[in-house]
Amino acid sequence: MPAAVNMLLALLVAMQGSAPLRKSDLVRLLSGAMMSSNELVELVSRNCLTFDPTERDRNDLRMLGADAAMLAAVEGCARRAAARRTVAVAPPVRRAPSAPPATPPPPPPPPPPPPPPPRPPPPPAPAAARQSFRAAIERSGFVSGGGQRGTAGTQLPRAVVFEVRDSAGAPLPAQTVVFTGINARTLPATAATDATGQVRVGVTLGERAGPATVIGSIGVVEKQVAFNVAAGPAAQLVVVCGQGSLSGHFAIRPDSEIVLRVSAQDGFANASPLLGLRAAVADARVFRVVHIVQDSALGTVTLKPDQPGTTSLAVIANGMRQYLTVTVPPKAAPGKVDCR
């Protein structure tokens, strides 16, 4: 998010005083860098929220970097809101009217004056108007484009459509809708509805394989739609020995066997299916490939040294090769396999 937008958001939140925060406000604040974690916790504790957080909302906030203190502040707001809804207000105590003192009978009343003409009804109060507007906007939401699947970093083939209608079902044109993405981004980020009450935006998926979400906001109402992000084609092979990945040169003791773990990753380091795993040794007198096992996600290559020397090993899968230089030293004490 550009620094100018972050600063504007921080100023707007500060100017709102005690106005409750929407989910999109939390998403933008966590995505930016204008406020520290302590400031965000204090803001949430003071202002609270316009929505009841679900498990999905909590997971989205964790994905954006919310720490334990931030999540505790969100839970505290939810508990306070629930407590306020359950407080019962005692009805006022009605007292029986006291008997009037005895008085002489009053004189006959004069004839009543003619009734005044009826007054026009007063205009609705601002709160009632907002309630009516919210009831109308609640009929709005995403009508198409959700549930699509695509590879990480690519644009979805179909645009998503957000529709705004009033309480009678009539379309509302010229209504501004703000879009916020989690593991996704939209173009444009803000747009107005057309004559049919609809707005269309393109969605580009994020870099993480898994779920992605787009939130559409109009006024205080937020609706969301979900997508699925798949790993892209394999772009690199990863070879691991022990606890670390291998590249370049490593050594193995002459009195041991070692197992190399092989996996494939796309351009964003998401796991890709492993296909056609093989291994080739330049000089089989130094060490041999004695066993290869492969499934859809991971493969193993077992090496057995035979005599001291240095030679190269090629690990082959998904149409790619990774070359490693392997040394078998002439002497080594028994112990842990040396992969470095």
Side-chain angles (χ1 to χ4, degrees), residues 9 11-23 25-26 29 40 42-51 77 80 84 130 220:
L9 177 60
L11 290 174
L12 288 175
V13 170
M15 293 172 62
Q16 286 178 347
S18 60
L21 302 174
R22 303 171 298 179
K23 182 178 177 181
D25 296 331
L26 294 180
L29 289 170
L40 286 174
E42 180 181 354
L43 180 63
V44 171
S45 299
R46 183 180 68 246
N47 291 26
C48 275
L49 312 171
T50 63
F51 64 98
C77 284
R80 291 198 295 274
R84 285 195 296 270
R130 288 194 298 270
V220 297

Side-chain angles (χ1 to χ4, degrees), residues 3 28 45 49 95 164 177 194 197 199 204 221 230 268 313 328:
R28 297 186 189 100
S45 299
L49 312 171
R95 297 184 179 180
V164 181
V177 184
D194 57 18
V199 58
T204 298
V221 176
F268 301 111
L313 169 69
V328 178

Side-chain angles (χ1 to χ4, degrees), residues 23 27 34 46 76 106 127 141 190 193 195 218 305 310:
K23 182 178 177 181
V27 170
M34 296 301 299
R46 183 180 68 246
T190 303
T193 56
I218 176 169
T310 297

Side-chain angles (χ1 to χ4, degrees), residues 88-122:
V89 179
V93 178
R94 298 182 178 272
R95 297 184 179 180
S98 58
T103 56
R119 294 183 179 180

Side-chain angles (χ1 to χ4, degrees), residues 3 6-7 31 46 51 59 76 87 101 120 130 172 179 188 194-195 198 207 243 249 252-253 262 282-283 285-286 317:
N6 281 335
M7 183 172 293
S31 301
R46 183 180 68 246
F51 64 98
N59 185 55
V87 172
R130 288 194 298 270
L172 290 176
F179 297 96
D194 57 18
Q198 294 184 344
E207 299 177 357
Q243 300 299 318
H249 175 266
I252 57 177
R253 299 183 187 276
V262 184
D283 187 350
R285 296 173 300 174
V286 177

Side-chain angles (χ1 to χ4, degrees), residues 311-331:
T311 188
S312 61
L313 169 69
V315 179
I316 307 164
N318 296 76
M320 297 179 291
R321 292 172 179 257
Q322 178 156 333
Y323 290 97
L324 301 166
T325 301
V326 185
T327 296
V328 178
K331 293 182 180 180

Side-chain angles (χ1 to χ4, degrees), residues 56 145-157 160 182-184 203-214 225-232 270:
R56 180 170 186 171
Q148 297 184 71
R149 177 184 175 90
T151 57
T154 63
Q155 183 171 354
L156 293 175
V160 295
I182 301 174
N183 197 26
V203 177
T204 298
L205 299 176
E207 299 177 357
R208 300 187 307 273
T213 304
V214 170
V225 65
F227 310 95
N228 189 278
V229 184
N270 296 306

